[in-house]
Each structure stands twice: as C-alpha cells, then as structure tokens.
Amino acid sequence: MYIVMFEFVVKPGKTEAFLAAWPKVTQGIYLFKGSLGSRLHKSDEGKWIAYAQWPSKQVYEQAASISMSEDYEAQRAAMHDALNLEDTKTLYQMDVEVDYLQRRPFAVA
C-alpha cells in the first residue's frame, strides 16, 4: 500500500465549499483512478491534513493521466477554487511498512 499525505490551505470564506467538494472528489478518485480512499483531518492548529491510500505507487502515479466523469471533474474544479493552491502541498509520499489500523476491536490476548 502507498500513502500520500497533503496539507490543504483553504481560502478565507471557502471552508464550506471545500468541505462540500472534498468527499465528492475523493469518491471520484476512488471510482475512476483506483485509490483506496482518503481521510481528511483538521489539526489542533486548524490545518486541513488528508492522506490518501493507494494500492501501489504505480497506481498513484498513473492516476494523474486518468480523467474522471464530467460531474467529478466539476467538483474537482470547485475544490481547487476553494483552495490556495500555491500553499497547498504534498507533505509525504510513503510505503506502508506495517499496517495495524483497524475498524473493529482488537483481539487482545
């Protein structure tokens, strides 16, 4: 698995537009480009941090050349309009070495 972590910088007054578009863009990337999904976080300092999971680095790199449907591309444009793209950045690109993130209770022995 391959992870890409982003810091999004939202323009003043555009938070609602960003939050409305982000899940739709993420869904489009999942459906059309092969991602495994993404999570969006807001740090204690108010920064928007997201990480996206991909099956591999190769799938992630190939995704840039794949277009989504017109509706999803429109959501992507709306999300980009809500962002200060000059300050938005990729923080990390990394392979998963050990994965113990669970959505169910851990079996504790």
Side-chain angles (χ1 to χ4, degrees), residues 15-25 75:
T15 299
E16 284 186 33
F18 170 69
L19 292 175
W22 187 87
K24 295 172 186 173
V25 173
Q75 291 298 323

Side-chain angles (χ1 to χ4, degrees), residues 33-45:
K33 298 177 180 256
S35 82
L36 299 174
S38 186
R39 286 186 171 138
L40 179 65
H41 306 267
K42 188 171 185 183
S43 75
D44 289 344
E45 296 81 24

Side-chain angles (χ1 to χ4, degrees), residues 48-97:
W48 295 101
I49 307 294
Y51 67 88
Q53 294 180 255
W54 295 85
S56 67
K57 184 177 182 177
Q58 180 182 11
V59 172
Y60 169 70
E61 290 173 344
Q62 291 172 345
S65 64
I66 299 170
S67 295
M68 299 185 289
S69 72
E70 189 174 313
D71 290 338
Y72 285 112
E73 290 292 349
Q75 291 298 323
R76 184 174 178 265
M79 187 177 99
H80 281 195
D81 184 56
L83 294 173
N84 178 334
L85 293 175
E86 296 78 28
D87 292 331
T88 292
K89 57 189 167 196
T90 302
L91 298 174
Y92 299 103
Q93 295 183 24
M94 52 200 162
D95 287 308
V96 173
E97 293 296 321

